[in-house]
Amino acid sequence: MRRRLSLLVLAVTSMVVAAFVVPLGILVKQQTESRALSGGERTAQSVASGLAVAATLSPALPADLVAVVVTTTGDGATSVFLPDGSVAGAPAEPSPAVAQARLGRAFSAAFPDGVEVLVPVNTPTGVLVVRTWVAADELREGVAAAWAVLGALGLVLILAGVALADRMGAALVRPVTALAAAARRMAGGDLEARVKPAGPHEVADAGVAFNHLAGRLDDLVAAERESLADLSHRLRTPLTALRLQAEALPGGEALLEDVDRLGSQVDALIAEARRRSPAAGPRRADLGAVAAPAAAAPACPPR
């Protein structure tokens, strides 16, 4: 029972922990990716805003000015694709998504090794495309450590649940084990075997019932012992009278032998009944308690 209870708690706790840890791990991954993409979008928007301001001051937007804006407001992963096809800032190859961004739509394009954030900027000389690259490592930064912490926390919760279930199972099984041991002692002839009711209400009630059964069995054995003593007295008295009458009869030797044979059979039956009785073995008795009624009885007056 103790092992089954621990396995049951292990299964239930594992399911509960998995139901919380798995979604939480997915949420951590999504939040990390969202944070990295938000940072890339802010960088791209900052560069695009700087280029828009520079375009109002210098409509031609020379490459040197674009490089200064990128260096000032961008990072090492930001590139600007100029209308003539040249690149300012971080070296990069134009992807098909850059051509779509030149149509005036800002979006993000995912690739196996990262995500590029594209923001178009309208200038008098054409459309510039600001590209900020967010590497896959940035998208997964800290996710492995967070998953490890969540896994360790889930494992600790599972182990704590199993340990608690094992302690509870031990407290539940201990009274049942004691009850089984007392039943085995009683089956071996120890009619004084008793248990101390403990544990849950149902188990404690079973212990009380066992003690009541043991007490009732003692009463039945005592009644059987008295019945055997009464049977011996009732049979021996008429047999003794019959033997005396047989001795008084002339030629009663044959009848006397039959009476002796009947007496031997009665003795054998009583001995067999006592041998099969649980009370036939050695028993403890308080001689003081047995002699107390006799000592308390008034003494007979001398004749």
Side-chain angles (χ1 to χ4, degrees):
M1 180 185 296
R2 180 177 177 182
R3 182 171 177 269
R4 290 184 178 181
L5 181 60
S6 298
L7 291 176
L8 176 61
V9 172
L10 174 62
V12 174
T13 307
S14 300
M15 293 177 61
V16 173
V17 169
F20 280 95
V21 170
V22 172
L24 189 58
I26 296 174
L27 179 62
V28 169
K29 180 176 180 295
Q30 292 176 347
Q31 290 292 332
T32 304
E33 293 177 352
S34 177
R35 184 173 60 251
L37 288 176
S38 297
E41 291 174 356
R42 285 194 300 269
T43 301
Q45 291 290 346
S46 297
V47 174
S49 299
L51 292 175
V53 173
T56 59
L57 300 177
S58 178
L61 271 182
D64 295 340
L65 181 58
V66 172
V68 171
V69 174
V70 173
T71 304
T72 304
T73 59
D75 54 20
T78 302
S79 307
V80 177
F81 295 97
L82 302 176
D84 59 1
S86 59
V87 180
E93 293 293 330
S95 64
V98 174
Q100 296 180 8
R102 289 188 185 277
L103 300 178
R105 185 170 65 92
F107 64 95
S108 300
F111 295 90
D113 54 346
V115 176
E116 61 179 7
V117 180
L118 303 172
V119 178
V121 180
N122 293 319
T123 66
T125 59
V127 179
L128 306 180
V129 177
V130 180
R131 171 189 181 268
T132 298
W133 177 254
V134 182
D137 293 340
E138 296 181 29
L139 295 173
R140 295 190 295 267
E141 184 179 2
V143 174
W147 283 0
V149 172
L150 290 176
L153 179 61
L155 182 60
V156 169
L157 291 176
I158 291 174
L159 293 178
V162 172
L164 180 61
D166 183 71
R167 293 297 90 198
M168 293 178 61
L172 178 64
V173 170
R174 193 178 299 112
V176 178
T177 304
L179 181 61
R184 284 190 291 269
R185 292 199 308 271
M186 180 173 289
D190 184 8
L191 299 183
E192 297 180 357
R194 298 292 188 276
V195 295
K196 182 178 180 180
H201 174 71
E202 294 78 3
V203 178
D205 188 53
V208 173
F210 176 83
N211 292 337
H212 179 71
L213 174 64
R216 179 59 178 163
L217 184 60
D218 279 344
D219 295 340
L220 293 177
V221 170
E224 180 184 2
R225 186 165 57 250
E226 292 177 1
S227 297
L228 289 175
D230 184 64
L231 177 63
S232 175
H233 175 72
R234 290 187 179 185
L235 289 178
R236 290 182 185 279
T237 299
L239 285 176
T240 301
L242 184 60
R243 179 181 178 81
L244 294 175
Q245 294 177 6
E247 289 177 353
L249 293 175
E253 292 79 4
L255 180 60
L256 187 61
E257 292 179 359
D258 292 338
V259 172
D260 291 338
R261 190 180 301 111
L262 179 59
S264 299
Q265 292 178 357
V266 170
D267 291 340
L269 289 175
I270 295 175
E272 179 66 17
R274 288 178 175 174
R275 186 182 66 82
R276 293 182 179 181
S277 172
R283 294 178 58 86
R284 295 181 179 181
D286 188 353
L287 295 181
V290 174
C300 296
R303 295 182 181 179

